[in-house]
Amino acid sequence: MPPIFYCFACKETFHIRNRFFAMISISSICCFLACMLPGANTPRWRPCRAYIFIALGLSAAFPFIYTSYMPDKYRPYIIDSWDIGPYAYGGAVYIGGALCYALKFPEKWFPCKFDLIGQSHNVHHTTVIIACMIMFVEGMGLYQRRK
């Protein structure tokens, strides 16, 4: 969220920023419901939960895609020093962790070897933390470079 706030900080772009915030908030609510509903917490729905988390991560990418194709009248109001690389890398790490969770890697392919440490749920949470750290560092850089 901070990169969106910093990139769309001018009054002329508030309506764009608010639409992106709404989209990400709706995706977050869907993830919350997918985790909290008792019926959705069964192994049968595990892949669906993982894909909902992937959709949440991809919804955060839309603002960056939009800035690449946005109308010229908004370009002067956008920070031009942001780099999509760290966010793409963080998103790839996040999606990789969600795929490990969905595929139950490694415990499904190596039974009894990852019962306590290294199971897919642990891998998923570790990749989420790594992706957050990558994006936090770039977000702080955007904060320091903002207009």
Side-chain angles (χ1 to χ4, degrees), residues 57-58 85-97 131 134-135:
L58 292 176
Y87 296 106
Y89 181 63
V93 170
Y94 178 81
I95 290 172
I134 293 168
M135 293 181 194

Side-chain angles (χ1 to χ4, degrees), residues 4-86:
I4 297 169
F5 187 78
Y6 300 141
C7 287
F8 299 98
C10 293
K11 185 177 181 180
E12 292 80 7
T13 60
F14 280 179
H15 66 285
I16 300 168
R17 181 190 68 194
N18 292 340
R19 288 181 187 148
F20 288 134
F21 282 165
M23 180 180 58
I24 293 171
S25 297
I26 290 168
S27 298
S28 298
I29 290 169
C30 290
C31 282
F32 174 77
L33 292 174
C35 291
M36 298 309 288
L37 292 175
N41 258 342
T42 61
R44 176 179 167 213
W45 291 101
R46 181 184 181 112
C48 183
R49 284 192 318 266
Y51 297 131
I52 289 173
F53 281 114
I54 291 171
L56 172 64
L58 292 176
S59 73
F62 285 122
F64 298 110
I65 295 168
Y66 178 79
T67 56
S68 299
Y69 300 103
M70 65 194 282
D72 289 336
K73 68 180 183 177
Y74 296 122
R75 291 215 182 270
Y77 305 110
I78 303 297
I79 292 178
D80 56 353
S81 64
W82 69 275
D83 181 20
I84 197 166

